[in-house]
Amino acid sequence: QVQLVESGGGLVQAGGSLRLSCAASGRTLSNYAMGWFRQAPGKEREFVALISRSGISTYYTNSVNGRFTISRDNAKNTVYLQMNSLKPEDTAIYYCAATRANPTTGRELYDYWGQGTQVTVSS
């Protein structure tokens, strides 16, 4: 079992930045590829970014590419999502997730999920 706890969400003006953290306990995080997903009101949960076990490989959905950066510190059992140039359409609950599979954008392939952290971007 892996327990994931997100933090760092909040209210920010458009153009601002936030850094989300996802702290893991229970198992060594380096055994898992990690992803960030988000869910806006009335919408399905969607993929945002992923990172491989080593941290060498990353991938982003088109709408955040160039603005968001995913990273990990396996020694600290923590994954991060640096979000810059935030837009109102980035408003959502952000979830981190861990998968034993190869890095994937498919949310159904993730085994463990955090409880989410709210990000609100005002215009």
Side-chain angles (χ1 to χ4, degrees):
Q1 283 279 0
V2 176
Q3 292 79 43
L4 302 172
V5 178
E6 302 96 335
S7 62
L11 174 64
V12 64
Q13 288 189 331
S17 298
L18 284 173
R19 188 195 197 200
L20 306 184
S21 298
C22 172
S25 61
R27 292 288 176 89
T28 301
L29 200 61
S30 59
N31 292 331
Y32 301 88
M34 299 295 296
W36 283 96
F37 292 77
R38 66 186 180 186
Q39 188 167 17
K43 295 187 177 181
E44 289 192 354
R45 193 170 300 187
E46 65 174 359
F47 166 78
V48 175
L50 64 81
I51 189 166
S52 62
R53 288 167 178 77
S54 66
I56 292 176
S57 299
T58 59
Y59 181 75
Y60 303 89
T61 192
N62 286 342
S63 62
V64 309
N65 201 18
R67 300 188 296 122
F68 291 11
T69 302
I70 188 171
S71 62
R72 65 191 299 161
D73 185 338
N74 286 338
K76 295 183 177 180
N77 255 14
T78 303
V79 177
Y80 305 97
L81 186 68
Q82 177 67 44
M83 306 186 296
N84 298 329
S85 302
L86 282 161
K87 304 176 181 180
E89 51 264 43
D90 294 318
T91 295
I93 299 174
Y94 283 71
Y95 300 88
C96 70
T99 178
R100 288 168 290 192
N102 289 330
T104 175
T105 62
R107 65 178 187 265
E108 67 279 3
L109 295 176
Y110 282 79
D111 303 293
Y112 304 104
W113 292 82
Q115 83 291 346
T117 185
Q118 177 71 48
V119 171
T120 303
V121 184
S122 63
S123 57

